[in-house]
Amino acid sequence: MDGVPRVPEQRRPGSEEPAALRFSVLGPVRAWLGAEALPAGSPQQRALLAALLLRDGRTATAAELIDALWGDEPPSQALAAVRTYASRLRKALGPEVLVSESGGYAIRSLGEGALDHTRAQELAGLAEKARAEGDLPRARDLLRDTLALWDGEPLASIPGPYAETQRARLEEWRLQLLESRLDMDLEQGAHAEAVSELTALTAAHPLRERLRELLMLALYRSGRQAEALAVFADTRRLLADELGVDPRAGLRELQQRILQADPGLAEPSAPAAEPAAAPVRPAQLPATVTDFTGRAAFVRELSDVLAAASSEEGRVMAVSALAGIGGVGKTTLAVHVAHQSRGAFPDGQLYVDLQGAGSRAAEPEAVLGAFLRALGTADTAIPDSLEERSALYRSVLDGRRVLVLLDNARDAAQVRPLLPGTEGCAALVTSRMRMVDLAGAHLVDLDVMSPEEALQLFTKIVGRERVASEREAALDVVAACGFLPLAIRIAASRLAARRTWTVSVLAAKLGDERRRLDELQAGDLAVKATFELGYGQLEPAQARAFRLLGLADGPDISLAAAAAVLDLPAEDTEDLLESLVDTSLLESAAPGRYRYHDLVRLYARSCAERDEQPPTERAAALSRLLDFYLATAAGVYALERPGDRLVDHLEPTRTEGLAFADRKASWDWLYSEAVPLLACVRQSATGPTLRRAIDLLWAAVDLAESGANSKEYEAAAAALRDAARGASDTRAEGRAGVVLSNALLFSGVFDQAYREAQQALRLAEASDDPLPCCWAANILGSIAFYQKRYTDAEGYFSRAIEEFRGCGDLAGSASPLCNLSRLHLATGRADSAVVLAGQGTEIYETLGHTLRVANGRYALGMALGKSGRHSDATSELEEALRVFRDSRQRLWEGMALCRLAEVDLDARKPARAASNAEMALTVLRGIGGEWRRGNVLTVLGKSLSGIGQSGRAQVCWREALEIYEKLDSPEAAEVRTLLTPVAAA
């Protein structure tokens, strides 16, 4: 918004294009003709203009205007003054706009949207209508547009009693609109985001009970019950002190509902988010096969169970668990029955492949997140923990009739959080494990097909005519498939696609035991015989790609990474992979990304072990993949940190990586490849690839620093450290220790990080590996600083600066310089802190860094803030915050918000500090460790105390104290001091 309302079009004399006349009163009183600002005159003249504009075209008499401008004490020449002001305005606006009639004046001929006040009324009316129709998203957007029309104080600097009255009215209206929008925010599940805004608003309007009520509800829905109750206590005390009254009934009722943990508060009670006000009805079932065959008894049994659950007499949630070996047709049967039963579950059907047969089964938390989104829950309303997600999932399903199909489950423990739990709903579960420990489940053991059913399935796929003439051969085929439906389906599909083959040819191929695995009749290996049919038909280049790509551990693989594995150009690789997709031996997960079914991957690896020649090619393929990731990650690191010497100290690679034109493309690659990259790291933690795996993790340090993949990164670092120690590789262990200690530092696990960094420093010195010595010293200094061992920290930082410079790594030396700045700040040397942070920032700027410049500005902003230069500090920190957000560095984003809150506190702006601290708490949720959460809670408590919300402040400080005491952190003493006067009072 430019703050300029739209008005009717006029023409300047001699102009060709009409110019729009526009007015604003929701801020300074202004007028424009097109882009040109018109002179509105003196404050009294603008007061006259405002009085006329707010009458919506009605005539104002001269007496009314005199009263509006001067009230009971007009000057002796008031009437002449009014006429003078009107004359001047008529010249500026045109005689057709400001007209004289009946001894008064009026503004006429204004078109649609000419006045911001009128436009605000229109938008607010549309918002109210949209809300009444249940279209909350549109209503929220319309109210945002309405509120955006305000440009500061309405009728700013306009004198007179009329302006004063209208100013109060417009401000009250704005607050009512804001309360309505925030109410809808909460109805849409945006409670965590609303807390920050509501905290600031309650500070600005402490006696406005509706805002307090919304804040209590937002805090409660964010899992912060104690703070919600503290808001009520603060409000009651404030109202008693200021007005001598108790909180209104609505606020008292909300307090009681919070105390009773009323389930009705857990989710919005307003209409659903979609315009039709109807719940989202997911329809996620995969397509059923048109040639479904047999299983009549099972279909009837399962259908009866589901029908009973969905009937009016149904009093419990039904669970049916299908168990059997791989390929026996569990999914096909479950999907078929689910489609037949859709009518009994009109509120939707959910489906998920739990990937239980693989080494990385789907996590229930992730599945619940997907289910909640499918059921219409906003991302912002989805909690973090498994228990909370499961509880919300059951609440969302309460009163609905929904069928949930949980396919390929690992065990009962994976399934339990995903069960609806309410009558009228039902769950179908498929698994290779018989779930005897799934309480209340209807268990079904699914065996192979009968010979008759198997032949029927084969005939439907191949065609009746071809089978009728070779019935015996067909029976031989299904027998060779062990009567497994999946094996039969794949074999029959191959035959159907090859019109020149006879059934006897296929039977002969299957009759050759050398083409079947011995395990055909045993468990999961039964499916491998079927895969063998497809693999045997591949061209040599296809077969090689199938074998080698299955070796990588990641959940999927990009085209570029696959090209590295195969040592082929990207174009040739794509042709091979797409041909494998056509054979159904590979899946296209997304454009440019490919994946195996978990069983097919195992089969591909067995083929590689059996067929790949020479055998060393398997190791060579994975080595090329590691090289690709290392070379590309090093390129990303170098692009982000020009002049940084780390890339010069990494292990050499033989495979080229990708090159990126800009930072955004490089960040996109790093984060999209994070999971397969970390899987490659762990897979390479042995033998000749160990050192490169460690260097890859080092070059990808931003994955740990951002917080997005910190847990997986830390686990990979620990695995590499252990592998290096087991291999007695001093140099590798030292580097792995640096990587691990750095990850632990960002996770806030300081004691372990310190031990790892000390050991890493000793090993790096012993192996004469200079750069890890620099990093380890800087890490040790950071940990000592956080633990308030300032003398040790200063020694480590000084050593790191010296050693980075000794390595010719000017960029590296900037980090300990900025860290040393923070130490000087903590020890009362604010002036030198500013100098040191400025030196570090200047190095980053000179070398062309972007993200690291933001780190420098972060340190500089802190130093400036403690030096009393609050405006400069805010500018530095806000610029750092912008870069952190652009770079997806959530950890640094959250900490920058926390530092801004500290500067706001020093500048005596507690309301703004509270808003920034609240945002920091939201951003850092789940990352950065508990110690940093304690820091933010401490700052938030101080901010809340500064705006008179002492009850909430106590809650924050107590939580921070609990964190610090658990970590044995020295910050506990400060928090105890903060709590002491409160407790005494």
Side-chain angles (χ1 to χ4, degrees):
M1 296 293 297
D2 60 4
V4 181
R6 296 179 295 117
V7 290
E9 297 178 336
Q10 296 186 359
R11 294 182 184 272
R12 283 288 195 187
S15 68
E16 296 183 1
E17 295 297 326
L21 188 62
R22 303 182 289 272
F23 298 94
S24 72
V25 293
L26 300 179
V29 177
R30 292 171 292 183
W32 297 265
L33 186 59
E36 177 186 356
L38 299 178
S42 66
Q44 284 80 10
Q45 184 172 309
R46 283 184 279 120
L48 177 68
L49 175 60
L52 295 175
L53 287 170
L54 289 171
R55 293 182 71 86
D56 294 327
R58 299 188 307 276
T59 300
T61 66
E64 288 173 330
L65 292 173
I66 291 172
D67 184 64
L69 269 63
W70 293 287
D72 295 333
E73 299 180 357
S76 58
Q77 300 297 317
L79 179 59
V82 166
R83 290 171 177 170
T84 300
Y85 299 151
S87 175
R88 292 172 181 171
L89 287 172
R90 185 180 293 111
K91 289 180 182 179
L93 304 178
E96 70 279 10
V97 175
L98 198 158
V99 298
S100 301
E101 61 180 22
S102 304
Y105 302 93
I107 288 183
R108 302 277 172 80
S109 303
L110 295 186
E112 181 181 357
L115 178 64
D116 58 358
H117 178 263
T118 304
R119 180 59 179 157
Q121 289 176 314
E122 294 170 353
L123 289 172
L126 291 172
E128 185 176 352
K129 180 181 178 183
R131 185 174 190 178
E133 294 172 349
D135 191 352
L136 290 187
R138 183 166 183 266
R140 290 169 73 195
D141 290 341
L142 287 167
L143 280 183
R144 287 194 186 97
D145 292 343
T146 306
L147 290 164
L149 291 172
W150 265 261
D151 185 20
E153 182 184 42
L155 306 175
S157 302
I158 298 299
Y162 179 81
E164 189 63 34
T165 300
Q166 291 297 315
R167 199 161 26 242
R169 178 185 70 82
L170 292 172
E171 176 60 16
E172 173 62 23
W173 184 36
R174 185 186 73 86
L175 287 172
Q176 291 174 358
L177 293 173
L178 192 55
E179 287 170 346
S180 296
R181 199 219 75 215
L182 286 162
D183 189 26
M184 285 187 276
D185 287 348
L186 298 187
E187 292 180 36
Q188 292 287 286
H191 37 265
E193 292 79 358
V195 169
S196 175
E197 186 174 0
L198 282 164
T199 298
L201 285 169
T202 54
H205 307 278
L207 297 176
R208 200 169 183 92
E209 292 184 67
R210 178 55 180 157
L211 289 174
R212 299 271 183 159
E213 184 177 345
L214 290 170
L215 177 57
M216 288 174 65
L217 186 57
L219 287 166
Y220 180 76
R221 288 183 179 169
S222 300
R224 298 159 69 177
Q225 179 180 7
E227 284 188 66
L229 293 170
V231 170
F232 179 82
D234 289 337
T235 306
R236 181 170 56 187
R237 182 174 56 254
L238 180 67
L239 291 173
D241 292 345
E242 297 290 332
L243 305 177
V245 299
D246 290 328
R248 61 187 179 85
L251 206 60
R252 296 197 303 271
E253 180 184 352
L254 179 59
Q255 182 220 20
Q256 290 301 312
R257 295 179 70 188
I258 291 174
L259 286 170
Q260 297 164 6
D262 186 346
L265 294 178
E267 57 186 84
S269 58
E274 292 304 314
V280 176
R281 292 181 175 85
Q284 297 184 341
L285 294 178
T288 188
V289 294
T290 58
D291 50 25
F292 182 85
T293 303
R295 310 296 201 186
F298 291 111
V299 171
R300 189 163 49 249
E301 178 183 353
L302 291 169
S303 297
D304 289 344
V305 172
L306 296 180
S310 63
S311 67
E312 292 297 325
E313 292 76 22
R315 290 293 179 265
V316 294
M317 183 271 301
V319 180
S320 293
L322 286 73
I325 62 173
V328 78
K330 302 181 295 294
T331 298
T332 302
L333 174 60
V335 170
H336 180 78
V337 171
H339 273 283
Q340 282 199 342
S341 303
R342 285 183 62 183
F345 299 94
D347 295 320
Q349 306 85 40
L350 297 169
Y351 171 85
V352 65
D353 179 3
L354 294 173
Q355 305 176 37
S359 59
R360 292 176 177 82
E363 293 295 334
E365 295 96 324
V367 175
L368 286 169
F371 277 179
L372 287 167
R373 282 187 286 271
L375 291 165
T377 306
D379 279 345
T380 54
I382 297 176
D384 290 331
S385 72
L386 172 61
E387 292 77 14
E388 288 177 310
R389 288 189 176 193
S390 186
L392 178 59
Y393 168 67
R394 292 191 295 272
S395 298
V396 170
L397 289 180
D398 187 31
R400 300 191 189 184
R401 295 184 180 275
V402 174
L403 176 61
V404 183
L405 177 44
L406 305 174
D407 193 22
N408 195 13
R410 178 184 56 203
D411 52 30
Q414 185 189 26
V415 166
R416 288 190 191 98
L418 309 179
L419 298 178
T422 55
E423 60 190 43
C425 291
L428 273 174
V429 184
T430 73
S431 176
R432 298 180 188 184
M433 300 293 293
R434 194 167 188 269
M435 296 194 176
V436 294
D437 54 342
L438 192 60
H442 175 77
L443 302 181
V444 176
D445 292 326
L446 195 59
D447 202 352
V448 297
M449 282 183 157
S450 67
E452 293 78 15
E453 288 177 334
L455 185 59
Q456 288 176 18
L457 177 59
F458 185 81
T459 302
K460 283 186 177 181
I461 298 172
V462 173
R464 186 174 300 278
E465 291 183 3
R466 296 177 75 181
V467 173
S469 60
E470 295 184 276
R471 181 179 173 81
E472 291 302 320
L475 287 171
D476 291 341
V477 168
V478 296
C481 290
F483 307 110
L484 247 69
L486 180 59
I488 296 166
R489 180 173 298 282
I490 294 177
S493 298
R494 294 293 182 199
L495 182 60
R498 290 161 175 78
R499 305 302 300 177
T500 59
W501 284 15
T502 64
V503 180
S504 298
V505 169
L506 179 59
K509 289 179 177 292
L510 291 175
D512 183 0
E513 292 187 357
R514 293 173 301 175
R515 299 184 61 82
R516 287 186 291 162
L517 299 176
D518 294 337
E519 296 86 352
L520 181 61
Q521 300 297 326
D524 293 345
L525 299 179
V527 181
K528 290 187 179 180
T530 305
F531 297 150
E532 188 75 47
L533 288 171
Y535 176 69
Q537 302 303 318
L538 297 179
E539 298 294 332
Q542 291 176 310
R544 174 179 178 268
F546 175 73
R547 294 190 300 267
L548 294 182
L549 292 177
L551 296 171
D553 270 354
D556 63 359
I557 191 167
S558 67
L559 176 60
V565 171
L566 301 179
D567 197 19
L568 291 173
E571 295 81 2
D572 296 344
T573 301
E574 185 174 20
D575 290 342
L576 282 173
L577 299 188
E578 289 299 325
S579 70
L580 289 174
V581 171
D582 291 339
T583 68
S584 300
L585 290 173
L586 195 66
E587 299 176 15
S588 178
R593 301 199 74 86
Y594 301 88
R595 68 185 177 203
Y596 288 91
H597 183 279
D598 50 3
L599 293 177
V600 179
R601 183 195 300 277
L602 294 175
Y603 174 71
R605 290 181 175 180
S606 70
C607 291
E609 294 172 2
R610 180 188 66 192
D611 300 338
E612 200 58 48
Q613 298 297 330
T616 54
E617 175 60 7
R618 299 199 300 274
L622 290 175
S623 179
R624 290 192 294 269
L625 178 63
L626 177 61
D627 273 0
F628 165 77
Y629 280 133
L630 175 54
T632 307
V636 173
Y637 187 96
L639 185 62
E640 182 58 50
R641 301 167 175 83
D644 193 298
R645 294 292 307 280
L646 172 63
V647 293
D648 300 327
H649 290 259
L650 300 176
E651 289 286 309
T653 61
R654 296 181 180 180
T655 301
E656 292 185 358
L658 298 175
F660 302 101
D662 53 52
R663 293 179 64 246
K664 183 182 184 303
S666 70
W667 284 110
D668 288 343
W669 178 87
L670 183 64
Y671 287 110
S672 66
E673 289 290 327
V675 176
L677 182 151
L678 292 173
C680 178
V681 165
R682 299 197 66 160
Q683 191 175 12
S684 305
T686 181
T689 58
L690 174 60
R691 288 191 173 189
R692 277 179 289 153
I694 294 169
D695 283 357
L696 169 57
L697 205 57
W698 200 357
V701 63
D702 290 310
L703 293 179
E705 193 168 332
S706 69
N709 301 90
S710 54
K711 292 182 180 178
E712 297 85 351
Y713 185 99
E714 185 181 317
L720 291 177
R721 187 274 321 273
D722 293 342
R725 186 172 296 168
S728 300
D729 188 335
T730 302
R731 180 178 180 276
E733 186 181 351
R735 290 193 169 204
V738 166
V739 173
L740 176 58
S741 61
N742 193 53
L744 292 169
L745 171 64
F746 285 113
S747 296
V749 188
F750 298 139
D751 289 342
Q752 185 184 351
Y754 193 77
R755 293 192 298 270
E756 295 289 348
Q758 280 186 315
Q759 177 69 358
L761 182 58
R762 288 192 291 267
L763 293 168
E765 289 172 339
S767 58
D768 195 23
D769 196 6
L771 198 60
C773 293
C774 305
W775 278 62
N778 194 26
I779 293 168
L780 286 166
S782 297
I783 299 167
F785 170 72
Y786 288 140
Q787 295 179 334
K788 301 191 184 304
R789 296 184 287 108
Y790 295 138
T791 301
D792 292 344
E794 187 156 8
Y796 282 124
F797 287 145
S798 299
R799 174 178 175 176
I801 294 169
E802 181 181 347
E803 294 197 0
F804 271 119
R805 289 171 176 170
C807 291
D809 193 345
L810 182 62
S813 69
S815 176
L817 272 172
C818 292
N819 289 336
L820 188 59
S821 163
R822 296 178 61 185
L823 187 145
H824 278 224
L825 196 62
T827 52
R829 294 172 281 176
D831 292 341
S832 58
V834 172
V835 173
L836 288 167
Q839 290 174 354
T841 305
E842 184 179 1
I843 291 173
Y844 287 137
E845 289 177 332
T846 302
L847 293 173
H849 290 215
T850 299
L851 176 58
R852 294 306 137 191
V853 168
N855 289 127
R857 290 183 183 277
Y858 174 87
L860 182 57
M862 293 175 65
L864 290 169
K866 294 303 180 184
S867 300
R869 297 165 60 181
H870 302 132
S871 177
D872 293 340
T874 299
S875 297
E876 296 291 342
L877 287 168
E878 286 180 344
E879 176 59 23
L881 177 63
R882 183 190 65 79
V883 175
F884 292 147
R885 283 174 172 162
D886 289 345
S887 303
R888 287 169 276 187
Q889 293 287 320
R890 289 180 58 216
L891 174 61
W892 284 112
E893 178 189 347
M895 292 311 300
L897 286 166
C898 182
R899 301 310 178 196
L900 278 167
E902 290 178 334
V903 173
D904 292 333
L905 279 175
D906 290 341
R908 298 183 180 179
K909 298 177 181 178
R912 181 170 163 179
S915 178
N916 280 323
E918 280 286 1
M919 287 190 287
L921 207 59
T922 300
V923 171
L924 291 174
R925 185 169 55 190
I927 62 173
E930 285 295 283
W931 180 81
R932 289 183 176 85
R933 177 175 172 81
N935 289 353
V936 178
L937 285 167
T938 303
V939 174
L940 177 57
K942 293 177 180 178
S943 306
L944 294 170
S945 178
I947 59 176
Q949 298 187 18
S950 58
R952 281 185 67 194
Q954 289 182 66
V955 174
C956 292
W957 288 333
R958 285 171 184 151
E959 185 177 349
L961 181 60
E962 183 180 348
I963 290 171
Y964 290 145
E965 288 180 341
K966 185 176 180 180
L967 298 175
D968 195 23
S969 177
E971 285 82 2
E974 179 195 357
V975 179
R976 290 192 193 97
T977 302
L978 291 170
L979 284 166
T980 299
V982 175

